[in-house]
Amino acid sequence: MPVEFIGYVSAQEQTEVVGPNGPVVDPEYIASSALIQERGGFDRALIAFHSTSPDSLLVAQHAASATERLGLLIAHRPGFAAPTLAARQFATLDQLTGGRVAMHVITGGNDRELQADGDHLTKAERYSRAAEYIRVVRQEWQESAPFDHHGEYYQVRGAHSDVRPVRTAGIPIYFGGASEEAIAVTGQYADGYALWGEPLKEASELVGRVKDAAAQHGRQIRFSVSFRPIIEKTEELAWERAASIQALLERRQEEEKGPTGIGLDRAGRKPTSENLPTNEGSRRLQKIAARSNRHDERLWTGVAQATGGRWNSTSLVGTADQVAESLLHYYRIGIETFLIRGFDPLSDALIYGRELIPRVRALVEREERCGR
């Protein structure tokens, strides 16, 4: 497909400004969220993974049972399950869903959070382990005979799986991270690279670095960028909504400040000096947001300013036509997948499906006809 859209399915009703609401695992919310996105033309939905969250594979299974076509991009941290077991789990779900599964391997951006699940490796060690983990996972999917693996982190003897992914090429693996270690792993092993929304100049440079890393191994990578589009009938109303989101978030954080003087994290928890992000992506967002809260006409970093860049928060602000045109600019620099989720997930997903996705697809189709 020339362009792909990824949404977001949470286990719990929530907005990332007001916070969570209702039970931690809400089957009806999972199903309705997945259905809204399937009917709205999304190709996949991301299922997130955190050290305190419901299990992403099980949430994805429930979302799959409520839908017929929606793909599932399942966040997965290497190191907490044996790679051979994870390979069979993902292959099983892929078979049950008719080939709708993709894996998003995440190494984690905060040492303390990872320690909550017993992971005490350094950042460099986590990336090294992730590379080895992906190698074993792919072998489990592809090898027709039992195989051995003798690595730094995994020792496997006679590994074999009776269940394989639906497609011969296996399950797509996405990877992210702006550090040199992350880009090296992506270039050698990943099918897709996910970056947070950045100005076009920075995004283009990052895409180029990843392309160069993949070219060293004779590979090509698909690129995904994440945004929180804020769409209204007029540009003025859209910017007013952006300002209200930032004000509401800042007020909430002021009311709930932790000992660092920084407000809540995305799960609504008070932060401490030990759970601030250490990943390069957050540091890049911090630098971009420090320059200005507006870039490239409608890229907005107000939430990144308010949160210190702790999570994917950059927005494209304007009318549906304006935001679609902005996404086309990212398509022109080689990004063909857009992960879009709103600050009000369900109502925004309806707007994206009705107003944004068809416009972007039409622009891309016209671009391809005219010769990009």
Side-chain angles (χ1 to χ4, degrees), residues 15 17-18 243-253 255:
T15 77
V17 176
V18 177
S244 68
I245 288 171
Q246 184 171 358
L248 181 60
L249 181 59
E250 288 174 345
R251 183 166 63 250
R252 180 179 173 226
Q253 292 198 113
E255 293 169 353

Side-chain angles (χ1 to χ4, degrees), residues 103-268:
M103 177 190 288
H104 184 24
V105 175
I106 54 174
T107 57
N110 180 275
D111 294 345
R112 185 54 182 256
E113 191 219 356
L114 290 159
Q115 290 168 13
D117 278 328
D119 188 351
H120 296 268
L121 296 186
T122 66
K123 175 184 173 182
E125 290 170 333
R126 291 199 300 270
Y127 278 113
S128 177
R129 179 183 61 187
E132 186 177 336
Y133 191 91
I134 295 171
R135 287 199 301 271
V136 177
V137 165
R138 288 199 189 277
Q139 278 189 281
E140 184 86 351
W141 288 338
Q142 296 169 355
E143 295 286 351
S144 58
F147 68 91
D148 298 341
H149 174 85
H150 303 286
E152 183 178 358
Y153 300 95
Y154 301 103
Q155 304 290 323
V156 173
R157 183 176 180 182
H160 179 69
S161 176
D162 291 330
V163 59
R164 305 296 178 90
V166 170
R167 295 175 179 81
T168 304
I171 291 169
I173 293 179
Y174 287 68
F175 206 79
S179 67
E180 291 300 326
E181 297 97 329
I183 291 173
V185 175
T186 299
Q188 190 168 2
Y189 298 109
D191 302 299
Y193 176 75
L195 62 148
W196 288 349
E198 298 186 356
L200 284 163
K201 180 177 182 294
E202 283 85 348
S204 181
E205 290 171 351
L206 192 51
V207 166
R209 287 167 60 197
V210 176
K211 283 184 175 180
D212 289 344
Q216 293 177 19
H217 302 279
R219 307 180 67 248
Q220 292 184 331
I221 301 290
R222 188 178 183 94
F223 292 90
S224 168
V225 65
S226 300
F227 289 111
R228 305 296 185 91
I230 297 175
I231 295 174
E232 294 290 346
K233 291 182 178 179
T234 68
E235 183 177 4
E236 182 180 9
L237 287 173
W239 284 112
E240 287 177 1
R241 184 184 172 203
S244 68
I245 288 171
Q246 184 171 358
L248 181 60
L249 181 59
E250 288 174 345
R251 183 166 63 250
R252 180 179 173 226
Q253 292 198 113
E254 184 66 27
E255 293 169 353
E256 300 286 349
K257 272 185 179 179
T260 61
I262 299 176
L264 302 181
D265 68 8
R266 62 178 143 192

Side-chain angles (χ1 to χ4, degrees), residues 82-98:
T84 49
L85 171 60
R88 296 196 301 276
Q89 290 173 326
F90 273 80
T92 300
L93 186 56
D94 198 50
Q95 287 289 341
L96 290 171
T97 60

